[in-house]
Amino acid sequence: MTDTIFALSSGSPPAAIGVLRVSGPQAGEAIAALAGSVPPARRASYRKLRDGEGAILDHALVLWFPGPNTATGEDLAEFHLHGGRAVVTAVESALSQMAKLRRATPGEFTRRAFANGRIDLAEAEGLADLLSAETELQRRSALAMADGAFSRQVETWRDRVLAASAAVEAILDFGDEDDVADLPEDFLAGLDRFHVELTEWLMRPRAERLKDGFRVVLAGPPNAGKSTLFNALVEDEAAITAPLAGTTRDVLTRAVAIGGVPFVFADTAGLRDQTGDEIEAIGIARARAALDGADLVLWLGPEGEGPTGAWEIAAQCDRSDIADKYAPRHRVSAVTGSGLDEIRRDLIETARRRMPRPGDAALNRRQHLLVSEAALAIAAAGQESDPLLVAEALRLARVAFDGLIGRTTTEDMLDALFGRFCIGK
């Protein structure tokens, strides 16, 4: 029999309210033991909670949700307590003394929802991302996943594969010729359109960019104003600034949100060919490596000497002793603030174009791999002449789609996913 689990599902005390959630076959018995009886289903009832010796634990609202139409697919109870630590601890202690009740592990409520068919794997991944979202773009993309937008798309793709498979099976069962000549006229054209659609999904910006942030690297020679501009963009004195060449020895990063967009800014060591300082040389090597991993480089060095695609930035525009650039994308002064608003707006607009659109479902690494496998299988099905090979390619596409929504999974993968959740979720 499945254990009955319990955990605090609201924020850590102290708080105004503490919500203790109980899920499993003994959830109703837990209510009866603490509240005296089980209240009407799905109605908040005011009750005095008592421990096994009859002592009052708290005055609380109690809710009873009989399964399977619940968040976890099981009998579910909630105790809405006063949110002090002592109150929550006392009720948890009373629950832990009941037979077949135990504390939940991280993500166990959501894992039970998945196991009981209340959510699929893509929705669970979206929920995990929603819980960790720190910016508006992250929230809206994760919510699209958690609400099942991508799952519905996968089901549509799966239905198309099943329909194509049925047409091929009909040929195998009843056809006289060992080829696909008797398939519907638009069969191959339909597979081609299907492949194009999957390819378009693969070309979308990935979810990792939303999670990790749009990476902007500031680069240039020593004393170009990189650290001062870096501090201004992240609005923090994170980097040490000094007129001495080689002050920055390593790659310094800061994650910030600007205009609801997640960014990671990186300040780097000044680039120069010769240095007698071994530590600075290591910093320069790391700076060059950071350029390779950048989504965008702000180049503060001599015009035209930056990486391909870098923005030319004329920093320190307040200084008359600094040579100006002929056609910089931005002229800024971190000291006076001139040009900072303009460069921030440009960064936001650029990052938004390269990130998933607000509200769009974005594929993570696992999902991208499975959609790639499906696309390859659909392409193979459209190129085969043997109906048996066509049927096998379509089967592989269906297996990939099943993996997207969790019809085929491994325990290790599930452990990794649900381990991302907090206890009580």
Side-chain angles (χ1 to χ4, degrees):
M1 180 180 291
T2 302
D3 289 341
T4 297
I5 57 175
F6 67 89
L8 182 68
S9 293
S10 56
S12 299
I17 300 294
V19 179
L20 267 175
R21 177 180 287 177
V22 183
S23 181
Q26 275 73 47
E29 295 178 21
I31 292 180
L34 294 184
S37 64
V38 178
R42 294 176 173 79
R43 290 180 59 186
S45 300
Y46 173 77
R47 298 294 177 90
K48 292 180 181 179
L49 305 184
R50 300 178 184 271
D51 62 17
E53 298 178 355
I56 294 179
L57 298 171
D58 193 24
H59 298 251
L61 291 179
V62 178
L63 292 97
W64 163 239
F65 304 94
N69 189 25
T70 64
T72 60
E74 304 174 323
D75 287 350
L76 189 70
E78 287 186 358
F79 298 94
H80 292 227
L81 314 170
H82 291 92
R85 288 190 180 89
V87 174
V88 172
T89 299
V91 178
E92 286 180 330
S93 177
L95 290 171
S96 66
Q97 294 173 19
M98 297 180 190
K100 299 180 181 178
L101 264 70
R102 63 171 175 81
R103 295 179 185 274
T105 59
E108 192 168 5
F109 286 94
T110 307
R111 186 162 187 161
R112 290 191 177 198
F114 168 73
N116 293 324
R118 299 300 296 170
I119 59 174
D120 62 36
L121 190 59
E123 291 170 327
E125 288 174 310
L127 183 57
D129 291 339
L130 186 61
L131 293 174
S132 62
E134 295 183 355
T135 69
E136 180 64 10
L137 282 179
Q138 292 169 339
R139 182 191 69 81
R140 294 177 68 174
S141 178
L143 191 59
M145 279 289 189
D147 281 349
F150 182 61
S151 300
R152 291 188 290 273
Q153 178 63 69
V154 173
E155 289 290 359
T156 299
W157 289 337
R158 190 174 183 277
D159 289 344
R160 289 166 66 178
V161 169
L162 291 175
S165 297
V168 176
E169 291 296 334
I171 296 299
L172 291 172
D173 290 341
F174 305 111
D176 296 327
E177 301 296 332
D178 193 25
D179 57 37
V180 294
D182 294 326
L183 285 168
E185 293 182 1
D186 64 344
F187 183 81
L188 293 179
L191 290 182
D192 185 61
R193 291 192 297 271
F194 198 176
H195 180 260
V196 169
E197 182 178 338
L198 293 175
T199 301
E200 290 174 348
W201 269 81
L202 292 172
M203 293 173 63
R204 290 185 174 195
R206 296 274 294 277
E208 284 76 19
R209 178 164 280 172
L210 274 177
K211 296 176 185 176
D212 300 338
F214 189 76
R215 192 171 185 85
V216 180
V217 175
L218 286 75
N223 292 337
K226 300 183 300 298
S227 296
T228 305
L229 179 57
F230 172 84
N231 288 344
L233 290 172
V234 303
E235 297 183 343
D236 185 18
E237 295 298 318
I240 298 173
T241 59
L244 180 65
T247 300
T248 301
R249 300 297 187 93
D250 203 350
V251 177
L252 178 63
T253 61
R254 281 292 185 274
V256 298
I258 305 176
V261 178
F263 286 92
V264 175
F265 288 97
D267 184 25
T268 59
L271 300 176
R272 52 179 171 177
D273 294 331
Q274 300 294 329
T275 176
D277 188 321
E278 183 178 352
I279 301 301
E280 184 186 3
I282 295 173
I284 291 172
R286 291 183 178 180
R288 297 189 189 281
L291 296 179
D292 295 333
D295 294 313
L296 175 66
V297 175
L298 304 185
W299 179 249
L300 280 66
E303 195 161 14
E305 296 184 12
T308 302
W311 287 6
E312 293 283 358
I313 305 298
Q316 303 174 322
C317 68
D318 57 303
R319 293 177 56 180
S320 59
D321 59 329
I322 299 295
D324 194 12
K325 293 188 177 184
Y326 176 71
R329 182 159 181 143
H330 290 281
R331 288 184 172 87
V332 299
S333 169
V335 175
T336 67
S338 174
L340 287 178
D341 289 342
E342 290 77 4
I343 194 172
R344 287 193 184 100
R345 284 195 294 267
D346 200 358
L347 286 169
I348 292 169
E349 292 171 3
T350 300
R352 283 185 181 275
R353 288 194 298 269
R354 300 191 194 178
M355 287 186 166
R357 292 181 299 179
D360 276 1
L363 302 181
N364 61 29
R365 187 173 289 106
R366 183 192 74 87
Q367 293 160 348
H368 192 274
L369 176 61
L370 288 171
V371 174
S372 297
E373 292 177 0
L376 289 173
I378 294 297
Q383 296 169 0
E384 296 291 349
S385 59
D386 186 335
L388 284 173
L389 295 179
V390 175
E392 174 61 13
L394 292 174
R395 185 190 69 81
L396 292 176
R398 178 181 56 78
V399 168
F401 292 141
D402 285 346
L404 283 167
I405 52 180
R407 288 193 172 97
T408 56
T409 56
T410 66
E411 286 300 309
D412 288 345
M413 188 274 291
L414 293 178
D415 288 343
L417 170 61
F418 293 110
R420 293 171 55 194
F421 289 77
C422 59
I423 294 175
K425 188 60 181 176

